């Protein structure tokens, strides 16, 4: 049997929860303070003409703003020439959760994905997954856009523009990209958490989920697309062997 918490009366339960709530509220206030510090960071100017490839062909970093003041970019890991089941499970997990963009649009913010692979095959993946967010290839501009950061690693980068001038204001990677992930946030509220081996959990708690972003050899969200009859043919073959893949998609 799976281990369970101790059973107590309602008053005892509420007393323990109240103690935890004090810590939760302190965490919320600290998160607000960190966000305030983030808003006070300096920024670095970018070349607004940095080339991208989008659905209508060559375009630029400035164009990716879609006329809005701010831009949030998810840098999607990509393995050129590999089939859909071998593409990044972490990036797939994260971006499957990005559905309704009207809320960020209402604050004059565009959310877009800059794939780190070629446009044609990655755009087929975007279509297969039935994602609606803007999708570009940044493959030929990664040295400029990621400037000293690891290529083919998931990144979230924020930009602001002043007319035709573009500035980078913030970036994060690894678990920082959980900003777009509500599933882990919900799991963290439950008694068993994410059920992953690294978590600090009581003895007997289930922790057997080693790769929770894949099921039966595919990124988890691909299965519902296949069941709906969508094609996962990316029009590619060969490419980088799986053994040579980076592990940078891990949370």
């Amino acid at each position: 049997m799976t281990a369970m918490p101790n059973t107590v009366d309602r008053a005892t339960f509420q007393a323990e929860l109240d103690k935890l709530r004090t810590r939760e509220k302190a965490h919320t206030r600290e998160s607000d303070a960190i966000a305030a510090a983030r808003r006070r960071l300096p920024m670095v100017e970018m070349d607004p003409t940095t080339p991208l490839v989008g659905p209508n062909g060559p375009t630029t970093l400035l164009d990716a703003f879609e006329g809005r003041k701010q831009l949030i970019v998810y840098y999607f890991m990509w393995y050129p020439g590999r089939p859909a089941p071998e593409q990044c499970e972490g990036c797939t997990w994260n971006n499957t959760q990005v559905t309704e963009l009207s809320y960020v649009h209402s604050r004059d913010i565009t959310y877009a994905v800059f794939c780190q692979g070629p446009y044609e095959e990655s755009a087929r993946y975007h279509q297969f997954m039935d994602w609606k967010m803007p999708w570009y290839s940044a493959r030929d501009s990664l040295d400029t856009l990621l400037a000293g950061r690891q290529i083919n690693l998931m990144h979230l980068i924020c930009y602001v523009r002043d007319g035709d001038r573009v500035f980078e204001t913030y970036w994060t990677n690894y678990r920082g990209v959980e900003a777009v992930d509500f599933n882990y946030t919900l799991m963290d509220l439950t008694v068993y958490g994410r059920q992953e081996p690294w978590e600090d959990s009581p003895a007997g708690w289930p922790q057997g989920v080693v790769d929770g972003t894949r099921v039966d050899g595919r990124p988890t969200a691909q299965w519902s697309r296949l069941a709906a009859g969508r094609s996962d043919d990316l029009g590619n073959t060969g490419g980088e062997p799986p053994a040579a893949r980076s592990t940078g998609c891990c949370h």
Side-chain angles (χ1 to χ4, degrees):
M1 292 182 62
T2 302
M4 300 279 283
N6 294 331
T7 301
V8 296
D9 59 66
R10 171 63 64 175
T12 302
F13 168 73
Q14 190 60 48
E16 291 298 315
L17 182 59
D18 288 345
K19 289 193 292 185
L20 180 63
R21 191 78 75 217
T22 299
R23 296 178 62 188
E24 286 182 335
K25 290 188 177 297
H27 176 76
T28 299
R29 288 191 291 270
E30 179 61 14
S31 180
D32 289 343
I34 291 172
R38 192 179 293 120
R39 292 191 292 272
R40 289 166 172 79
L41 287 172
M43 61 187 183
V44 60
E45 188 160 9
M46 303 292 293
D47 180 355
T49 67
T50 300
L52 306 169
V53 178
N56 298 315
T59 187
T60 67
L61 175 61
L62 180 62
D63 290 334
F65 279 75
E66 298 183 342
R68 298 185 180 91
K69 181 72 173 178
Q70 297 184 84
L71 172 66
I72 301 172
V73 174
Y74 187 105
Y75 283 78
F76 197 107
M77 297 171 63
W78 192 258
Y79 304 110
R82 304 312 305 171
E86 295 179 14
Q87 294 303 332
C88 180
E89 59 272 22
C91 294
T92 301
W93 170 286
N94 288 325
N95 282 281
T96 300
Q97 300 173 70
V98 180
T99 53
E100 181 58 66
L101 292 173
S102 64
Y103 297 109
V104 293
H105 291 172
S106 73
R107 306 300 171 94
D108 212 13
I109 302 167
T110 293
Y111 178 93
V113 171
F114 286 8
C115 184
Q116 299 180 61
Y119 182 78
E120 184 175 353
E121 64 183 38
S122 69
R124 290 190 182 199
Y125 192 75
H126 178 260
Q127 183 178 25
F128 162 56
M129 294 304 299
D130 196 28
W131 290 333
K132 306 304 182 187
M133 80 286 284
W135 186 275
Y136 303 92
S137 169
R139 179 181 62 171
D140 296 334
S141 299
L142 292 174
D143 287 339
T144 297
L145 291 166
L146 294 180
R149 289 159 286 195
Q150 183 178 336
I151 292 175
N152 217 29
L153 181 73
M154 55 171 66
H155 299 275
L156 266 181
I157 302 183
C158 298
Y159 304 92
V160 68
R161 71 181 181 92
D162 183 11
D164 290 341
R165 298 175 71 189
V166 173
F167 304 86
E168 180 181 326
T169 62
Y170 176 75
W171 70 274
T172 186
N173 55 26
Y174 288 105
R175 289 192 63 188
V177 303
E178 288 184 13
V180 298
D181 179 351
F182 67 83
N183 281 292
Y184 275 138
T185 300
L186 291 175
M187 292 177 196
D188 288 342
L189 298 178
T190 69
V191 68
Y192 294 134
R194 305 182 188 193
Q195 303 176 49
E196 297 178 359
W198 63 270
E199 289 178 286
D200 180 2
S201 294
W205 256 230
Q207 291 188 292
V209 180
V210 177
D211 185 0
T213 56
R214 281 185 172 267
V215 171
D216 295 335
R218 283 180 176 269
T220 307
Q222 289 187 7
W223 289 110
S224 61
R225 275 68 177 178
L226 293 170
R230 306 189 68 86
S231 171
D232 69 346
D233 181 8
L234 305 185
N236 57 18
T237 57
E240 180 186 357
R245 288 173 43 162
S246 163
T247 58
C249 68
C250 300
H251 286 280

